[in-house]
């Protein structure tokens, strides 16, 4: 799993409503949705009113309904299916045992003072206590993070597979290359034994290869990515897989080998070469086990057809995280996952698109990491979690969510965290000092709230300990990942003595910079103390606001703060309040701390309450922390505990059909809208109006019981797009196809925002990290397009400037005017999905009058923010 402070692009693909019995997971029956009994099959029927295409049941349905007396056998592939030795189909459903054999510090609630990943932890422990003590302490951690109780809980969730992330030096002696550690197989053997007792398969996943296959901390060492250029590391990774294959070649409980987790540190072509080398290495020893072929940001095409290439017993692997990394900041959790799982309005996107690809390639799939319940609330999260597993199984895909366990200082599930189990709430913490409020795009896209209602940490009253005056620092911290643009506003920040109402903060209403000092932690931020942009103002703000953005030309991760020194009295209580807004930021955090030590440039501000400082803590404190992971009481996600195993009907996607026959009649600056009634009980209608063909727009009418709507006061200089959604007691359905007022042709020369297209196919809009923020268009696949209506005032020669971004590089697009190609652009990697460059077309002739301009994608993985048509 990628660190939460790094962008893992979700390659959002297109999908349909599913109408099939899902075999091997829970029993068919029980009406619509993902119902049934946990034992043999699951119902996944679309609502009766759905107009989307259905997917046929697996051909193995009849045989799979018979009792399974075969037990655990070596698994193999059969077309798109995972099957047992007899050919009987099995649907693998489970999770990852993250942060166990390779640490990710965000999953254990620790870190600070330079210790932030497995490498820095081990280096610091070795420096302080010696190598042998470091080894003992790491073993103590691993002996406690996963224990027998965890295997029992995995079984209680109804799982039959776990994906086991492994760091290379769990097996290879880091001091003696190509030499097994004395305890090389201890944790793998124990895991397989515990899994077998419970009928659970294990996927062995090399999560961190020697040298690192990406620069992220989930490889064990952040900031590396040396695997691709170091032949010694590549050869030792082959050696490692030789040892694993030799050890487990006859072990039926091993479901598959996953040779290289998220190998995204180089190109897709490099990935294919190295993964295929590892496949060949394994095959020389083990021709029985399934070998995974990971994707490169969703690219599996780079492998070609495995069957045609003579590869046997292979399966593709994808890590979809819809909505979690800023790709749809303004959409609800429900909408995002419905689009992915139910194939979107067209019925051809999301999982349906992947099913089409895999069916053509006759190759199975492992959804190796996904996270559908985080911050959705326990009930909704549980339902969407169950629907995700069931729908994946309906396509014969294996699935392992990220991740089983997460521990935090505060503990508890809240609205649902990443872990299926977390530690119980820690009531002993003094919540008055440290992190006092927080929101982020991972916790709540596009937030706009008071501090008291902040989605990641709600502000409460602050009570100081001791007696007498004490100096504190209130720190307002904001930042964003490499390539992302923070666009955060604050106002009305107040810290008052609850008894006297004395205000302790200076200039919390902004309008000027007085009272505040700026802190650069990494990179730099632009602080506008006197912004009057009302579109960015948080709800409840008054007058000027503080607006924080990325300065022009600044790249890389940025992290910075405003702060001021204050004096609080011991034993007194203080009320803290304010408002802040995310403004469709991407991969961005906004945090406020109350700390005792003065902020220092270049050093991050963190909440150390409840944390162990590995740089100074006595060894006894470190031992106690590591031991606590095996003893702490668990807070099990109640929604998942219920919905993953219940036979109760799951109604989460029982939404009504899209309205049809939408008709718009325009008279001057007024319109009359009508549509056909949707069949169902308690149906009402919502009407939306947008000024872009691809946007849902604003809600202009809600809860209508009639099938008509009138609107007036429209501008003659704008094209409006109206759509209608039906709503029942469960949810709002998809909006209808839009009906628009007269299309207006944009006079050129002009700069045109990419999201202002008049027609499109296959694309998505998302919050832009470019200068000025706004929205960009992306998620292009070959053949997708966006179209615009333009009007040349005079004939002549023109050029187009394009504002483009891509992390991986792309074969790009062609530009057509009235169906004639006038330019073709390939796009080299720009440094990030939201790191933009400007390219210019060749000159082309354009006659006076109206024209249709189309951008047609020749490849994939490129974004466009705007383009400017210029007359020569």
């Amino acid at each position: 799993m990628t660190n939460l402070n790094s962008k893992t692009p979700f390659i959002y693909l297109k999908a349909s409503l599913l109408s099939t019995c899902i075999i091997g997971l829970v029993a068919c029956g029980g009406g619509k949705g993902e119902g049934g009994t946990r034992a043999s099959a699951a119902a996944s029927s679309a609502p009766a009113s759905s107009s989307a295409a259905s997917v046929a049941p697996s051909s193995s349905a009849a045989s799979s309904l018979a009792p399974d007396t075969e037990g655990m056998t070596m698994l193999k592939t059969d077309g798109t299916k995972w099957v047992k030795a007899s050919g009987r189909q099995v649907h693998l459903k489970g999770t990852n045992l993250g942060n166990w054999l390779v640490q990710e510090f965000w999953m254990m609630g620790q870190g600070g003072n330079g210790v932030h990943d497995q490498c820095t932890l081990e280096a610091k422990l070795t420096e302080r206590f010696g190598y042998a003590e470091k080894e003992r302490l790491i073993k103590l951690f691993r002996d406690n993070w996963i224990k027998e109780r965890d295997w029992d809980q995995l079984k209680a969730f109804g799982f039959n597979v776990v994906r086991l992330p492994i760091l290379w030096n769990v097996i290879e002696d880091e001091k003696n290359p190509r030499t097994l550690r004395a305890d090389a197989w201890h944790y793998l053997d124990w895991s397989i034994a515990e899994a077998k007792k419970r009928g659970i398969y294990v996927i062995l996943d090399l999560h961190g290869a020697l040298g690192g296959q990406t620069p992220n901390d989930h490889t064990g060492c952040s900031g590396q990515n040396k695997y691709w250029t170091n032949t010694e590391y590549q050869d030792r990774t082959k050696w490692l897989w030789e040892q694993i294959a030799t050890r487990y070649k006859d072990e039926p409980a091993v479901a598959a080998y996953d040779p290289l987790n998220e190998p995204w540190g180089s190109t897709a072509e490099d990935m294919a070469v190295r993964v295929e080398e590892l496949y060949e290495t394994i095959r020389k020893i083990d021709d029985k086990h399934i070998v995974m072929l990971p994707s490169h940001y969703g690219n599996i095409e780079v492998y070609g057809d495995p069957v045609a290439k003579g590869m046997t017993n292979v399966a593709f692997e994808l890590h979809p995280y819809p909505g979690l990394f800023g790709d749809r900041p303004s959409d609800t959790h429900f909408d995002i996952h419905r689009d992915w799982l139910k194939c979107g309005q067209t019925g051809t996107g999301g999982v349906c698109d992947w099913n089409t690809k895999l069916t053509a390639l006759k190759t199975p799939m492992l959804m190796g990491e996904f996270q559908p319940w985080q911050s959705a609330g326990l009930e909704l999260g549980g339902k969407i979690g169950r629907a995700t597993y069931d729908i994946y199984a309906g396509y014969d895909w294996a699935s392992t969510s990220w991740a089983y366990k997460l521990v935090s200082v505060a503990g508890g599930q809240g609205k649902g965290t990443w872990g299926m189990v977390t530690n119980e709430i820690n009531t002993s913490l003094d919540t008055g000092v440290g992190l006092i409020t927080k929101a982020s795009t991972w916790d709540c896209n596009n937030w706009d709230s008071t501090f008291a209602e902040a989605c990641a940490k709600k502000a409460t009253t602050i009570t100081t300990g001791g007696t007498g005056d004490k100096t504190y620092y209130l720190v307002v911290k904001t930042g964003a990942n490499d390539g992302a643009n923070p666009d955060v506003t604050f106002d009305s920040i107040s810290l008052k003595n609850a008894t006297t109402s004395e205000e302790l903060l200076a200039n919390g209403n902004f309008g000027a910079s007085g009272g505040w000092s700026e802190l650069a932690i990494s990179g730099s931020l632009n602080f506008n103390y006197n912004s009057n942009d009302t579109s960015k103002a948080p709800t409840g703000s008054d007058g000027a606001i503080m607006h924080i953005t990325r300065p022009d030309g600044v790249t890389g991760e940025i992290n910075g703060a405003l702060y001021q020194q204050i004096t609080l009295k011991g034993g007194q209580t203080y009320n803290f309040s304010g408002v802040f807004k995310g403004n469709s930021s991407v991969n961005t955090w906004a945090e406020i701390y109350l700390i005792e030590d003065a902020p220092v440039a270049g050093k991050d501000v963190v909440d150390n309450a409840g944390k162990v400082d590995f740089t100074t803590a006595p060894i006894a404190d470190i031992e106690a922390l590591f031991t606590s992971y095996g003893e702490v009481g668990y807070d099990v996600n109640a929604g998942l505990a219920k919905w993953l195993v219940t036979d109760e009907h799951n109604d989460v996607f029982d939404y009504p059909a899209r309205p049809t026959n939408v008709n718009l009649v325009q008279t001057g600056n007024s319109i009359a809208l009508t549509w056909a009634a949707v069949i169902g009980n308690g149906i009402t209608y919502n009407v939306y109006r947008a000024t872009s063909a691809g946007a849902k727009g604003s809600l202009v009418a809600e809860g209508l019981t009639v099938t008509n709507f009138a609107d007036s006061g429209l501008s003659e200089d704008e094209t409006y797009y109206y759509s209608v959604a039906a709503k029942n007691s469960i949810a709002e359905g998809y909006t209808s196809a839009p009906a628009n007022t007269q299309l207006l042709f944009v006079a050129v020369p002009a700069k045109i925002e990419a999201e202002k297209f008049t027609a499109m196919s296959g694309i998505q809009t998302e919050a832009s990290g470019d200068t000025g923020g706004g929205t960009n268009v992306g998620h292009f696949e070959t053949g997708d397009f966006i179209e615009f209506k333009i009007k040349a005032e005079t004939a002549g020669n023109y050029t187009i400037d394009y504002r483009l971004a891509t992390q991986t590089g792309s074969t790009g697009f062609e530009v057509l005017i009235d169906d004639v190609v006038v330019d073709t652009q390939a796009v080299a990697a720009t440094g990030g999905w939201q790191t933009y460059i400007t390219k210019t077309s060749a000159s082309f002739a354009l006659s006076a009058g109206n024209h249709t301009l189309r951008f047609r994608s020749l490849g994939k993985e490129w974004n466009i923010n705007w383009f400017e048509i210029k007359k020569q």
Side-chain angles (χ1 to χ4, degrees):
M1 168 60 201
T2 295
N3 184 305
L4 287 183
N5 283 340
S6 64
K7 169 123 173 140
T8 301
F10 169 64
I11 309 302
Y12 194 82
L13 308 155
K14 311 154 197 163
S16 88
L17 292 172
L18 193 61
S19 179
T20 180
C21 283
I22 300 176
I23 307 304
L25 193 60
V26 289
C28 288
K32 299 176 287 184
E34 287 67 55
T37 58
R38 182 181 65 87
S40 58
S44 183
S45 304
S49 58
S50 171
S51 59
S54 63
V55 177
S58 165
S59 60
S60 64
S63 62
S64 293
L65 288 174
D68 182 1
T69 59
E70 192 172 0
M72 297 184 76
T73 75
M74 197 80 72
L75 299 184
K76 60 183 180 180
T77 64
D78 178 9
T80 60
K81 303 180 182 67
W82 300 67
V83 301
K84 292 187 175 183
S86 66
R88 179 189 183 90
Q89 186 174 10
V90 59
H91 285 96
L92 298 177
K93 160 186 154 182
T95 191
N96 281 263
L97 300 186
N99 195 57
W100 182 28
L101 302 183
V102 52
Q103 290 173 325
E104 298 183 37
F105 269 52
W106 67 273
M107 299 182 68
M108 52 193 280
Q110 296 296 319
N113 290 337
V115 177
H116 56 269
D117 58 17
Q118 182 101 39
C119 282
T120 52
L121 173 65
E122 293 196 27
K124 181 55 66 175
L125 295 179
T126 301
E127 173 192 321
R128 295 188 63 205
F129 308 119
Y131 182 80
E133 274 296 271
K134 179 271 289 188
E135 288 283 281
R136 184 184 70 83
L137 290 169
I138 295 300
K139 184 178 187 302
L140 183 65
F141 168 81
R142 289 172 175 163
D143 287 346
N144 280 281
W145 185 260
I146 296 293
K147 304 187 78 168
E148 285 191 25
R149 65 169 178 169
D150 297 297
W151 292 100
D152 291 338
Q153 182 60 57
L154 290 163
K155 183 66 176 177
F157 280 129
F159 290 157
N160 62 359
V161 67
V162 294
R163 182 169 176 257
L164 183 59
I166 306 162
L167 185 62
W168 67 274
N169 65 5
V170 171
I171 298 170
E172 183 180 2
D173 187 335
E174 62 189 285
K175 290 190 170 185
N176 297 288
R178 293 179 175 83
T179 302
L180 292 172
R181 289 174 56 97
D183 61 351
W185 308 113
H186 171 73
Y187 293 106
L188 276 66
D189 282 355
W190 180 77
S191 296
I192 291 168
E194 293 298 318
K196 286 175 74 172
K197 291 177 187 177
R198 298 161 177 84
I200 296 174
Y201 285 94
V202 178
I203 296 171
L204 299 178
D205 157 43
L206 184 58
H207 216 69
L210 178 60
Q213 68 274 19
T214 78
N216 300 318
D217 68 337
H218 63 259
T219 64
C221 302
S222 58
Q224 290 200 51
N225 197 37
K226 300 176 181 178
Y227 172 82
W228 305 101
T229 55
N230 190 310
T231 56
E232 168 71 8
Y233 293 166
Q234 295 166 10
D235 289 343
R236 284 170 62 182
T237 300
K238 294 176 190 175
W239 175 88
L240 188 73
W241 275 109
E242 289 173 347
Q243 311 314 304
I244 297 171
T246 300
R247 179 79 175 186
Y248 298 114
K249 63 182 179 180
D250 296 315
E251 176 51 68
V254 173
Y257 301 135
D258 197 348
L260 211 57
N261 174 68
E262 294 184 0
W264 300 343
S266 186
T267 65
E269 290 73 21
D270 279 353
M271 174 197 72
V273 169
R274 299 301 165 214
V275 170
E276 289 177 18
E277 285 178 351
L278 294 174
Y279 165 83
E280 295 295 341
T281 298
I282 292 167
R283 281 290 174 258
K284 290 176 182 177
I285 297 168
D286 183 348
D287 62 357
K288 305 181 185 73
H289 280 101
I290 295 169
V291 178
M292 306 309 307
L293 303 179
S295 70
H296 189 274
Y297 296 118
N299 182 340
I300 63 170
E301 293 83 357
V302 69
Y303 293 106
D305 183 344
V307 175
K309 293 172 72 170
M311 302 178 81
T312 59
N313 243 17
V314 295
F316 290 117
E317 182 175 355
L318 191 71
H319 293 181
Y321 286 100
L324 277 174
F325 295 95
D327 57 309
R328 295 179 61 178
S330 299
D331 291 325
T332 68
H333 194 98
F334 176 85
D335 286 344
I336 289 167
H337 287 278
R338 178 179 63 176
D339 284 354
W340 168 241
L341 295 170
K342 291 297 191 179
C343 309
Q345 293 187 359
T346 64
T348 59
V351 295
C352 289
D353 185 56
W354 278 99
N355 182 56
T356 299
K357 292 180 182 180
L358 295 165
T359 300
L361 292 170
K362 301 181 177 63
T363 304
M365 170 68 88
L366 166 66
M367 290 297 192
E369 295 182 19
F370 57 95
Q371 174 45 268
W373 61 81
Q374 194 264 350
S375 292
L378 298 183
E379 181 71 2
L380 177 60
K383 287 182 175 183
I384 293 179
R386 171 63 180 269
T388 301
Y389 279 113
D390 283 0
I391 288 173
Y392 288 167
Y395 290 106
D396 300 329
W397 302 338
S399 56
T400 51
S401 63
W402 192 276
Y404 165 69
K405 179 178 178 179
L406 180 143
V407 170
S408 65
V409 171
Q413 286 287 339
K415 290 186 175 181
T417 67
W418 283 75
M420 309 184 78
V421 299
T422 63
N423 51 314
E424 293 176 341
I425 295 174
N426 187 345
T427 58
S428 66
L429 286 179
D430 174 14
T431 58
V433 177
L435 179 65
I436 53 178
T437 192
K438 176 182 178 180
S440 79
T441 54
W442 303 284
D443 295 298
C444 50
N445 285 335
N446 207 29
W447 76 86
D448 180 5
S449 74
T450 64
F451 296 161
E453 293 300 320
C455 61
K457 183 172 179 61
K458 293 176 170 57
T460 61
T461 56
I462 296 168
T463 302
T464 57
T467 59
D469 293 348
K470 190 168 184 179
T471 298
Y472 290 92
Y473 297 86
L474 188 116
V475 184
V476 180
K477 189 177 81 162
T478 296
N481 290 340
D482 186 6
N485 186 35
D487 187 346
V488 180
T489 46
F490 295 85
D491 200 19
S492 305
I493 304 178
S494 172
L495 183 65
K496 290 183 177 181
N497 186 299
T499 302
T500 67
S501 295
E502 177 190 5
E503 176 63 66
L504 279 298
L505 287 181
N507 193 23
N509 289 316
F510 301 103
S513 60
W516 295 97
S517 298
E518 296 178 9
L519 175 71
I521 299 169
S522 58
S524 62
L525 289 166
N526 180 55
F527 299 101
N528 182 355
Y529 295 85
N530 191 31
S531 173
N532 292 298
D533 186 346
T534 57
S535 69
K536 307 286 188 180
T539 301
S541 62
D542 182 20
I545 57 176
M546 160 56 69
H547 189 192
I548 303 176
T549 55
R550 179 189 290 271
D552 292 348
V554 172
T555 60
E557 178 177 294
I558 51 176
N559 193 6
L562 304 170
Y563 71 94
Q564 58 180 274
Q565 179 180 315
I566 56 175
T567 301
L568 304 182
K569 296 183 180 297
Q572 296 285 304
T573 297
Y574 297 86
N575 295 322
F576 177 62
S577 61
V579 294
F580 59 165
K581 186 178 180 182
N583 297 307
S584 298
S585 294
V586 176
N587 293 332
T588 295
W589 54 89
E591 305 163 342
I592 300 182
Y593 295 82
L594 186 64
I595 58 175
E596 298 180 31
D597 297 325
V600 177
K603 184 177 180 179
D604 204 359
V605 178
V606 295
D607 186 354
N608 288 312
K611 290 186 177 182
V612 170
D613 185 345
F614 293 108
T615 67
T616 59
I619 199 166
D621 290 356
I622 299 172
E623 290 174 335
L625 173 70
F626 289 171
T627 302
S628 74
Y629 292 139
E631 299 174 346
V632 66
Y634 281 164
D635 186 349
V636 178
N637 186 305
L640 294 172
K642 171 186 175 180
W643 283 103
L644 289 183
V645 298
T646 186
D647 60 359
E648 182 179 337
H649 168 62
N650 185 357
D651 63 5
V652 68
F653 291 138
D654 287 359
Y655 50 84
R658 299 175 71 192
T660 58
N661 298 328
V662 179
N663 183 54
L664 182 148
V665 176
Q666 181 177 5
T667 306
N669 63 356
S670 300
I671 64 101
L673 196 69
T674 60
W675 58 92
V678 172
I679 297 173
N681 296 323
I683 298 292
T684 60
Y685 303 96
N686 296 337
V687 179
Y688 294 88
R689 183 182 66 207
T691 55
S692 173
K696 188 174 183 178
S698 302
L699 182 67
V700 292
E702 184 176 17
L704 298 179
T705 56
V706 295
T707 57
N708 58 81
F709 171 72
D711 202 7
S712 60
L714 307 180
S715 170
E716 296 180 357
D717 298 322
E718 189 69 74
T719 298
Y720 296 92
Y721 300 85
Y722 290 84
S723 58
V724 184
K727 186 176 181 180
N728 61 15
S729 61
I730 303 301
E732 181 185 87
Y734 282 115
T735 55
S736 66
N740 58 274
T741 58
Q742 181 180 358
L743 289 176
L744 300 179
F745 287 73
V746 178
V748 297
K751 179 179 178 181
I752 302 174
E753 296 293 333
E755 70 272 17
K756 296 294 285 184
F757 51 80
T758 56
M760 69 85 172
S761 175
I763 59 86
Q764 290 182 68
T765 59
E766 60 188 357
S768 174
D770 198 6
T771 302
T775 302
N776 67 263
V777 174
H779 300 280
F780 284 95
E781 297 282 333
T782 302
D784 290 348
F785 69 84
I786 51 177
E787 192 171 275
F788 303 83
K789 299 297 184 182
I790 62 172
K791 178 180 181 179
E793 299 291 347
T794 59
N797 292 325
Y798 289 77
T799 60
I800 305 177
D801 287 350
Y802 313 99
R803 191 67 172 165
L804 305 167
T806 173
Q807 178 160 304
T808 60
S810 174
T811 51
F813 56 90
E814 59 186 5
V815 180
L816 302 89
I817 294 181
D818 301 331
D819 294 327
V820 176
V821 176
V822 298
D823 190 36
T824 301
Q825 290 284 340
V827 190
T830 62
W833 298 107
Q834 293 297 329
T835 301
Y836 284 85
I837 62 169
T838 302
K839 296 190 69 178
T840 301
S841 75
S843 178
F844 57 89
L846 189 63
S847 62
N850 293 340
H851 301 277
T852 298
L853 181 150
R854 174 177 287 197
F855 291 79
R856 183 164 63 197
S857 188
L858 298 175
K860 58 190 297 185
E861 299 178 349
W862 59 279
N863 293 337
I864 181 167
N865 188 22
W866 50 259
F867 61 96
E868 185 172 4
I869 302 175
K870 296 179 176 180
K871 192 171 188 295
Q872 297 300 291

